[in-house]
Amino acid sequence: MNRRLLVDLNALKANYRLMQGKVKPARCAAVIKAGAYGLGANRVACALSDAGCDCFFVATAEEALELCSYVSGADLYVLEGIDAQSVHDLRNARIIPVLNTYVQVELWAKSCAGGQPNRCVLHLDSGMNRLGFDEAEVRKLAANTRLLGRLNVDYLMTHLACADEAAHEQNPLQLRRFEQLRAHLPPCRISIANSAGIFLGTEYHGDLVRPGIALYGGNPKSVGPNPMHEVVRACGRIVQVREIHRASTVGYGASAI
């Protein structure tokens, strides 16, 4: 075979154990969205389970439903939350949604009507401005104690925008903003750090960290050596080596010299 992508599952496990050791006593999850970043979510999840991981995050309901049989007994979270089509499938499979809007909270609470509240995560937007409750929605939810009481909240979470730059002012700003937002809600375990956030210090670890790209060998820091083990290596056969005169051009449009 001329082209191969080599995936080192032992290196993957080593990366997980490195980060789990760094954040103890916090819990270390694994983000395996988009087919574990293209490496195959099923086999990656099984390898990480062998390494001690019992908590996984994916992006979509479809990913979660395909994966749930491979991580039986583990906690499986869906970052996009729910909609009218996925809510009952997730509830029946005991998959845990990350609720990003007030509408999603109402939908999840309604699906659990008449029974015990099913587990969920509340995502508070501390400055990423991508997904999550803004301050107005946090206050609205806090004021609706009846609705809030119908939720079984595992964690309050947020997501860092600039964690790969350790000195960036956005990091402590988001930390303070998250504290301000969650002060409106009942006390709960928290989740802040992504891959890069793990390396910002213990104040960002909370109760659960959610590494993604660093698990697969990506450098969680914008500068400095990569502390992670290489997981993926592309191999191929060189077909031809050419020697050209300095005045010659290369490629379409003769644009390279």
Side-chain angles (χ1 to χ4, degrees), residues 61-225:
E62 290 78 13
E63 289 177 341
L65 292 167
E66 290 175 6
L67 188 64
C68 60
S69 63
Y70 291 89
V71 294
S72 178
D75 290 334
L76 182 56
Y77 296 89
V78 180
L79 290 165
E80 73 172 4
I82 53 173
D83 58 24
Q85 285 69 49
S86 66
V87 57
H88 297 294
D89 288 337
L90 296 188
R91 186 197 64 195
N92 293 337
R94 298 186 181 277
I95 296 168
I96 308 161
V98 176
L99 304 178
N100 298 287
T101 68
Y102 194 87
V103 170
Q104 288 188 347
V105 166
E106 291 181 313
L107 188 58
W108 189 243
K110 182 179 179 181
S111 77
C112 304
Q116 290 294 321
N118 285 345
R119 297 162 64 191
C120 63
V121 171
L122 296 181
H123 183 185
L124 312 184
D125 180 20
S126 60
M128 185 76 164
N129 288 317
R130 187 174 65 179
L131 286 175
F133 285 75
D134 60 21
E135 182 176 2
E137 284 198 315
V138 169
R139 290 179 178 274
K140 181 179 179 181
L141 179 59
N144 192 339
T145 55
R146 182 173 178 274
L147 179 61
L148 195 56
R150 292 166 64 189
L151 302 178
N152 180 4
V153 182
D154 274 6
Y155 298 94
L156 300 176
M157 68 167 265
T158 195
H159 194 65
L160 299 171
C162 303
D164 61 324
E165 300 179 57
H168 201 291
E169 63 182 8
Q170 181 75 355
N171 296 319
L173 189 154
Q174 282 196 252
L175 194 60
R176 291 194 299 271
R177 184 61 176 154
F178 181 57
E179 292 298 323
Q180 292 167 355
L181 290 173
R182 76 186 189 95
H184 296 290
L185 299 169
C188 185
R189 295 179 297 176
I190 62 172
S191 177
I192 302 169
N194 52 8
S195 290
I198 289 171
F199 295 86
L200 291 179
T202 56
E203 65 267 39
Y204 292 87
H205 293 168
D207 300 289
L208 175 75
V209 298
R210 313 181 310 274
I213 191 64
L215 282 173
Y216 310 101
N219 193 343
K221 306 175 183 180
S222 59
V223 295

Side-chain angles (χ1 to χ4, degrees), residues 17-28:
R17 292 185 179 116
L18 185 156
M19 288 185 283
Q20 176 62 88
K22 193 169 184 65
V23 303
K24 282 184 176 179
R27 187 183 186 193
C28 187

